[in-house]
């Protein structure tokens, strides 16, 4: 896993648009802003380079639906053999996301929590996987939401079945460069059941299970809920276990309360990894709970929870926390080669 080297002239126009979107996502800019550059790249990609050059010469680039004044300027400057001004500005401002844990970040070769526009992500599967290739991932798992989370356009069993076909096609495109594991972020319901049919879950390579509702449940019921989910043999990762929010546009939210000792003992007993969610607004679990999970003998999974390509690099934050808190690399499943991961997940 690594950061992207800055682009230098000459820059293909579509590469410039994609990189600007990536850098905006990396710095947590407005998703609408980043998506404007991705839309422009998609629209011009459908035209082909000869037509893009013809329109640039004729001054009609902005007549293409999805191409505005800012994106058109980027394309024009790239076609003129320059590094577009906006791209140069963003590249100059791109500093490392985290200081500390660089060695562990470099050792992270996979991701067990990643979303696409099939649920609440901002990019197609193809774009997420292409960026994973560019950033040196050896494998990733696509884990869109399950049906209960309607606000996130969660996948029914039927939609998930269709998605698996797309995943197979994308993986075939990048055969030999990256493995794309079939996964889901399934909701843990109030009684600890999983929000997807067992038959559907049996078709997947990996399952990340998370609580998204009734986060203020009393500690006793919440503990029983989480332990029941962890004990389910189809669950591989316990996602963002407290559900807290510490910063960001959605405001703040206190952590759920539960018996962490009991939950982490169940994770260790059932070989379920505790996710170190790398999103800056989550930083979940809190430091003290990572310490408890470490003492309990748990495995961990440093994940991006990426909802856009530029967020895949956020695992740098999780790596910094894991290194600072003394989590050994060998207990972090996202440092493992893919064959070891699939053997563990299919235990």
């Amino acid at each position: 896993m690594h950061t992207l080297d800055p682009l230098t002239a000459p820059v293909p126009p579509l590469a410039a648009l994609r990189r600007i979107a990536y850098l905006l996502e990396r710095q947590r800019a407005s998703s609408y802003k980043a998506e404007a550059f991705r839309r422009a790249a998609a629209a011009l990609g459908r035209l082909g380079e000869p037509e893009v050059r013809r329109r640039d010469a004729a001054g009609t680039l902005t007549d293409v639906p999805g191409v505005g004044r800012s994106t058109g300027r980027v394309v024009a400057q790239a076609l003129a053999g320059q590094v577009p001004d906006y791209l140069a500005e963003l590249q100059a401002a791109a500093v490392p996301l985290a200081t500390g844990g660089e060695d562990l970040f470099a050792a992270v070769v996979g991701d067990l929590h990643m979303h696409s526009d099939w649920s609440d992500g901002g990019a197609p599967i193809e774009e997420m996987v292409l960026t994973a290739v560019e950033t040196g991932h050896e494998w990733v798992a696509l884990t869109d939401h399950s049906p209960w989370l309607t606000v996130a356009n969660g996948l029914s069993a039927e939609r998930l079945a269709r998605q698996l076909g797309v995943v197979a096609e994308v993986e075939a495109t990048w055969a030999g460069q990256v493995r794309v594991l079939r996964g889901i972020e399934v909701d843990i319901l109030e009684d600890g059941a999983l929000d997807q049919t067992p038959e559907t879950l049996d078709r997947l390579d990996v399952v990340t299970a998370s609580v998204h509702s009734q986060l203020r449940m009393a500690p006793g019921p919440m503990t029983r809920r989480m332990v029941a989910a962890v004990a389910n043999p189809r669950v591989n990762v316990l996602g963002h276990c407290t559900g807290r929010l510490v910063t960001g546009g959605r405001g703040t939210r206190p952590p759920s309360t539960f018996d962490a000792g009991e939950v982490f003992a169940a994770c260790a007993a059932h070989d379920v990894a505790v996710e170190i969610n790398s999103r800056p607004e989550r930083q979940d679990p809190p430091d003290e709970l990572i310490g408890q999970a470490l003492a309990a003998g748990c495995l961990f999974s440093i994940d991006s929870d990426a909802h856009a390509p530029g967020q895949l690099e956020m695992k740098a934050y999780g790596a910094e926390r894991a290194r600072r808190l003394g989590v050994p690399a060998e207990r972090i499943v996202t440092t493992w080669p893919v064959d070891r991961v699939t053997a563990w997940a299919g235990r």
Side-chain angles (χ1 to χ4, degrees):
M1 175 69 195
H2 58 75
T3 59
L4 295 173
D5 293 328
L7 294 175
T8 57
V11 183
L14 300 192
L17 292 168
R18 288 184 62 248
R19 182 60 62 87
I20 288 171
Y22 177 94
L23 291 169
L24 288 169
E25 292 157 352
R26 184 181 185 273
Q27 66 178 216
R28 291 182 283 159
S30 162
S31 60
Y32 298 106
K33 196 172 184 180
E35 287 168 12
F37 287 90
R38 292 204 185 280
R39 282 196 302 272
L44 296 178
R46 288 190 291 269
L47 290 180
E49 186 173 340
E51 177 64 10
V52 171
R53 289 188 176 277
R54 188 193 70 77
R55 285 181 175 269
D56 176 54
T60 61
L61 272 176
T62 54
D63 292 345
V64 178
V67 180
R69 187 164 58 182
S70 296
T71 52
R73 176 175 171 80
V74 167
V75 173
Q77 289 181 329
L79 288 173
Q82 308 168 31
V83 174
D85 294 338
Y86 191 32
L87 174 58
E89 175 188 331
L90 290 172
Q91 290 187 151
V95 297
L97 293 181
T99 302
E102 291 87 353
D103 59 332
L104 187 53
F105 180 48
V108 172
V109 295
D111 201 318
L112 287 171
H113 194 166
M114 180 182 86
H115 298 275
S116 76
D117 61 3
W118 279 66
S119 63
D120 63 343
I125 297 169
E126 296 85 349
E127 184 67 25
M128 296 298 294
V129 173
L130 171 56
T131 304
V133 172
E134 292 171 334
T135 50
H137 288 73
E138 294 178 9
W139 57 268
V140 291
L142 182 65
T143 56
D144 277 315
H145 289 286
S146 56
W148 189 92
L149 206 61
T150 54
V151 69
N153 193 28
L155 273 63
S156 65
E158 293 75 19
R159 288 183 65 219
L160 180 57
R162 293 199 300 274
Q163 185 187 77
L164 297 183
V166 176
V167 170
E169 292 174 1
V170 172
E171 185 174 34
T173 299
W174 294 104
Q177 296 188 65
V178 70
R179 281 281 301 279
V180 185
L181 304 183
R182 301 162 297 173
I184 193 169
E185 183 185 12
V186 70
D187 268 60
I188 301 173
L189 302 179
E190 289 184 47
D191 62 356
L194 307 182
D195 181 35
Q196 192 50 275
T197 65
E199 295 78 16
T200 297
L201 296 179
D202 283 343
R203 299 182 62 189
L204 304 178
D205 297 308
V206 65
V207 173
T208 292
S210 307
V211 173
H212 289 107
S213 63
Q214 299 296 317
L215 294 170
R216 306 313 304 149
M217 229 180 189
M222 181 64 87
T223 300
R224 291 190 291 273
R225 176 186 188 181
M226 296 173 74
V227 168
V230 166
N232 189 311
R234 295 177 178 85
V235 171
N236 305 113
V237 180
L238 177 62
H240 47 70
C241 65
T242 77
R244 74 173 185 170
L245 295 174
V246 297
T247 186
R250 289 189 289 169
T252 60
R253 182 169 65 210
S256 297
T257 53
F258 52 88
D259 186 329
E262 188 173 345
V263 170
F264 295 147
C267 287
H270 295 284
D271 215 19
V272 169
V274 174
E275 178 181 68
I276 298 177
N277 189 289
S278 300
R279 296 192 68 86
E281 68 270 28
R282 288 194 180 275
Q283 300 177 40
D284 199 2
D287 286 1
E288 62 273 17
L289 291 194
I290 291 178
Q292 281 189 253
L294 186 61
C298 293
L299 295 172
F300 295 87
S301 181
I302 294 177
D303 294 326
S304 65
D305 193 359
H307 285 65
Q311 295 172 3
L312 286 168
E313 199 179 327
M314 286 182 177
K315 288 190 287 295
Y317 295 121
E320 182 278 326
R321 297 185 69 217
R323 173 59 74 223
R324 174 167 48 83
L325 296 169
V327 180
E330 60 269 20
R331 283 171 60 178
I332 299 170
V333 298
T334 41
T335 68
W336 293 357
V338 68
D339 290 344
R340 184 179 178 189
V341 170
T342 55
W344 159 75
R347 62 198 182 283

